[in-house]
Amino acid sequence: MPDQSLALSVRGLTKRYGDTTVLHPLTLDIPDGEVFGFLGHNGAGKTTTIRLLTTLLPPSGGTAEVAGHDLRTDPLGLRGAIGYLPENVRLYDRFTTRENLMFFARLSGLSDAADRVGRTMAFLGIEPLAERRVGTFSKGMRQRVGLAQAILHDPSLLFLDEPTSGLDPMGVRLLRDIIEQLNARGMTIFMNTHLLSEVSRTCSSIAVLAHGKLVFQGQMDAVTERYGDDRALEALYLGVGEQESAA
Amino acid sequence: MPDLARFPILTIALRDAREALRDRFVLIATLALAAAALVSVLSGAAALHGDATTYAAARDQLLALGRSASDIAAPELWPLKLLRGTIEQIEIMGAVIALIAGYRAAAAERGRQTLALILTRPVPRWKVLAAKLIGGVGLSAGALAVVFAVSATLLHLLSGVGLTLNDLGRLALVWVMATLYLSCLYTVGFALSLWLRRPAAGLIYAFAFWLLLVLVAPQIGDTMDPDNQVSGGVFAALSIPRVEQDRIKAGFAGYEFFRNGIEVASITKHLERFSFAVLGIKDTYTGRPISEIWAERRGDVLFLFLFTLGLSAIVLLRPIDPDRLTQEI
């Protein structure tokens, strides 16, 4: 029986390309209802981890239960229970917002696709964009439509890969509000980022990945307690970087 | 309308079709193919119209003189023969367009990251690939329908001869065969652009395939044919009787097997042989009933069908490389 209290349970998950290990055995537990920040420098292995957990990449070793579904034995069930927003998603430029969302709703097997699309657009405040082609959108508008496709089917676990990348301050704030609202609904959020300010404001727990290795995992409260000031996260992040450099 | 949520293959294929209708490349390519095909149809139709008019005038004169129209032999007019240029354009230019369309389908899904979004839906990956291939068949069928419809309409209107139901049936048969041919090339363009690290490299390899199987192989086969070495044919130039021709050819059976083998390795040659026979473009088939032609040339259909099926099976069975989900420059 899958452990219902954990949204994500990873055991020794590894990814290798030939002799190069891009993700060393990763063990990680994320309880239901968390907003989890996955931190790391560019190239640390964050996107690889998300791709492994969303079944886009096959692991070289280890296993994981994602939203109650085994990564190796139940990939279809897993995909039905998660949402995913890649970095810099462009969607179908020649299609309107509604057409894009209807397509992904149907692929998610939603028989009430039109209702779900309507409700999701209303939730994200993108109804005025419904009949406009996505190709004409700004980065921020496109990101909201991208987020809409990720939450259409009401997943229990949402993966966001650098969701604030390229957004202006208003867009970042809007996204933060949406994440908080989704989390208040009970959705677990797994967010890749290297923006410390966003993590400290949004996340309830974090992990830090450096050169494919997990170097820290804990609750945000514990981080603040351990380092004892407002710049706790930055201290942790830079400290990890220095340790890695020294190693 | 069925509930599309239960049919992911249909959902993806319909989306591809809708996108194709909005894609300027598809529109321009289809019109260009139709225009290229029409050039030969127009000139041929004008000549045919001239023949038909001359005959009609002569017959009217005879009738006016109180004589029977059967006093002069009615010319045998075969309007479908004028589609030779159309078939040749589909073989060469249509093939290029299909390769590019296949490349664009893969490159666009990778570049927009929508392939990653599709693959994180609860849909088996083979269904995603099958839908893309079906989309290619639909695109080929649609574009060719336009080309054939325009060609047939102009042929009908300009030649003054008119197309019979039998003619339309033959056109439909060639349309199916040509759809199979272009679908095959679409699949090549799509697969290579999906498999290789850079889709553009896939397109280059696809062109190499085109060069080899569409241009070189049929040409080598033609060049190696001893009868093609002199204009009008060696045997005809030397006035060698048929029986003697067969005896000479029997002495080169091994060579001929090899030459023909190169030629028939090309899918293009199978489309050409079948289409030229059905449309009566090749004189030995002109005016013969379709059942006879089918019995003789169904091997071409079988070859093209099996080739396309085999290619599609390779695409469906080969796992999507997870490192090829985005477009690398």
Side-chain angles (χ1 to χ4, degrees):
Chain A
M1 278 289 288
D3 190 342
Q4 292 300 316
S5 63
L6 288 178
L8 187 67
S9 174
V10 182
R11 295 286 173 270
L13 198 66
T14 313
K15 185 63 186 174
R16 282 186 296 271
Y17 291 101
D19 294 336
T20 310
T21 303
V22 294
L23 184 67
H24 293 271
L26 175 72
T27 296
L28 193 66
D29 285 331
I30 301 175
D32 273 330
E34 291 275 315
V35 178
F36 178 81
F38 202 41
L39 286 154
H41 302 283
N42 289 334
K46 304 186 301 290
T47 297
T48 300
T49 305
I50 278 199
R51 287 189 171 181
L52 287 167
L53 296 174
T54 53
T55 75
L56 286 172
L57 273 179
S60 307
T63 186
E65 272 199 7
V66 183
H69 300 271
D70 190 280
L71 184 67
R72 290 178 186 272
T73 59
D74 187 17
L76 287 186
L78 186 160
R79 288 182 215 149
I82 62 161
Y84 172 49
L85 176 64
E87 188 181 2
N88 297 323
V89 69
R90 280 179 46 208
L91 301 163
Y92 295 109
D93 313 18
R94 293 189 187 90
F95 280 27
T96 65
T97 299
R98 188 187 302 280
E99 287 169 335
N100 265 289
L101 297 181
M102 284 298 287
F103 172 68
F104 288 110
R106 284 171 177 148
L107 279 191
S108 295
L110 301 177
S111 52
D112 57 343
D115 278 355
R116 294 286 192 108
V117 167
R119 270 186 278 155
T120 306
M121 286 196 298
F123 170 68
L124 294 173
I126 54 173
E127 283 167 311
L129 309 178
E131 310 309 330
R132 283 179 57 190
R133 288 194 180 186
V134 170
T136 62
F137 288 179
S138 67
K139 165 82 184 177
M141 291 150 86
R142 205 177 287 228
Q143 192 76 338
R144 276 197 282 168
V145 181
L147 188 59
Q149 67 74 31
I151 63 171
L152 271 170
H153 51 300
D154 206 14
S156 59
L157 175 56
L158 177 63
F159 289 96
L160 304 173
D161 194 358
E162 304 283 0
T164 53
S165 166
L167 293 185
D168 60 22
M170 278 298 289
V172 172
R173 184 172 176 172
L174 194 64
L175 189 73
R176 191 192 313 142
D177 291 344
I178 291 168
I179 290 173
E180 282 171 5
Q181 287 178 53
L182 289 171
N183 184 238
R185 288 177 171 190
M187 196 179 286
T188 307
I189 317 281
F190 183 112
M191 184 166 72
N192 268 3
T193 184
H194 57 263
L195 291 180
L196 303 180
S197 56
E198 283 317 302
V199 172
S200 61
R201 285 177 186 167
T202 320
C203 298
S204 46
S205 64
I206 63 162
V208 181
L209 198 66
H211 303 290
K213 291 179 187 162
L214 187 70
V215 291
F216 178 84
Q217 185 190 0
Q219 295 293 309
M220 270 308 295
D221 296 348
V223 174
T224 313
E225 200 174 294
R226 182 171 164 186
Y227 287 84
D229 61 30
D230 290 345
R231 298 174 65 83
L233 192 58
E234 189 177 342
L236 166 69
Y237 193 69
L238 293 175
V240 165
E242 283 164 10
Q243 284 169 23
E244 280 296 310
S245 301
Chain B
M1 186 76 176
D3 178 12
L4 288 177
R6 292 171 53 211
F7 305 101
I9 292 181
L10 191 61
T11 300
I12 297 172
L14 282 177
R15 192 216 66 81
D16 282 7
R18 286 177 80 176
E19 183 161 49
L21 289 174
R22 296 175 190 181
D23 187 351
R24 213 171 289 171
F25 166 80
V26 172
L27 178 72
I28 292 171
T30 304
L31 291 179
L33 185 60
L38 286 180
V39 172
S40 57
V41 170
L42 284 177
S43 57
L48 197 67
H49 186 259
D51 290 348
T53 310
T54 306
Y55 168 71
R59 187 196 57 199
D60 291 345
Q61 257 187 341
L62 281 177
L63 293 175
L65 294 170
R67 292 170 62 183
S68 164
S70 59
D71 284 359
I72 52 168
E76 290 192 323
L77 303 170
W78 307 104
L80 292 184
K81 272 178 174 274
L82 302 182
L83 291 176
R84 181 189 191 113
T86 304
I87 300 299
E88 285 171 347
Q89 293 297 349
I90 290 169
E91 283 174 10
I92 311 288
M93 190 174 158
V96 172
I97 292 171
L99 284 178
I100 295 173
Y103 152 76
R104 283 168 59 91
E109 292 283 14
R110 286 174 66 175
R112 294 179 299 215
Q113 297 230 35
T114 41
L115 186 59
L117 293 183
I118 292 173
L119 295 180
T120 50
R121 303 284 155 177
V123 179
R125 293 183 175 180
W126 73 265
K127 286 191 178 180
V128 175
L129 292 169
K132 302 303 287 183
L133 298 188
I134 290 169
V137 175
L139 183 61
S140 306
L144 285 171
V146 171
V147 171
F148 278 116
V150 171
S151 299
T153 306
L154 283 183
L155 202 59
H156 185 79
L157 295 176
L158 298 181
S159 71
V161 178
L163 296 178
T164 62
L165 266 180
N166 183 283
D167 289 338
L168 293 179
R170 286 170 188 255
L171 268 180
L173 212 54
V174 173
W175 170 68
V176 171
M177 186 74 166
T179 297
L180 211 53
Y181 172 73
L182 291 194
S183 302
C184 186
L185 287 144
Y186 175 94
T187 304
V188 170
F190 176 77
L192 290 174
S193 306
L194 189 66
W195 292 342
L196 294 181
R197 194 166 68 85
R198 286 181 294 177
L203 184 62
I204 291 169
Y205 281 110
F207 272 120
F209 174 91
W210 173 82
L211 199 66
L212 195 69
L213 283 193
V214 174
L215 282 190
V216 176
Q219 207 56 46
I220 284 181
D222 273 350
T223 307
M224 287 172 67
D225 189 347
D227 201 34
N228 283 349
Q229 304 313 309
V230 174
S231 176
V234 172
F235 294 128
L238 298 175
S239 305
I240 297 173
R242 186 81 198 180
V243 181
E244 188 64 10
Q245 282 182 30
D246 292 342
R247 199 188 60 76
I248 294 170
K249 281 179 182 172
F252 291 92
Y255 175 83
E256 177 56 20
F257 179 79
F258 178 67
R259 187 200 67 77
N260 191 52
I262 292 176
E263 216 171 67
V264 297
S266 162
I267 48 172
T268 309
K269 205 66 192 175
H270 289 281
L271 170 70
E272 185 175 294
R273 285 180 176 181
F274 182 79
S275 304
F276 280 17
V278 170
L279 299 176
I281 294 167
K282 195 166 167 67
D283 289 339
T284 47
Y285 293 99
T286 309
R288 283 173 63 183
I290 197 74
S291 55
E292 271 182 30
I293 295 170
W294 175 257
E296 205 169 308
R297 299 249 56 107
R298 65 185 166 201
D300 293 317
V301 181
L302 193 66
F303 182 92
L304 198 49
F305 178 73
L306 291 178
F307 193 94
T308 310
L309 198 67
L311 200 61
S312 304
I314 292 170
V315 174
L316 293 182
L317 293 174
R318 193 180 196 276
I320 296 175
D321 187 336
D323 293 319
R324 305 285 183 264
L325 300 180
T326 55
Q327 186 163 1
E328 297 194 28
I329 298 162

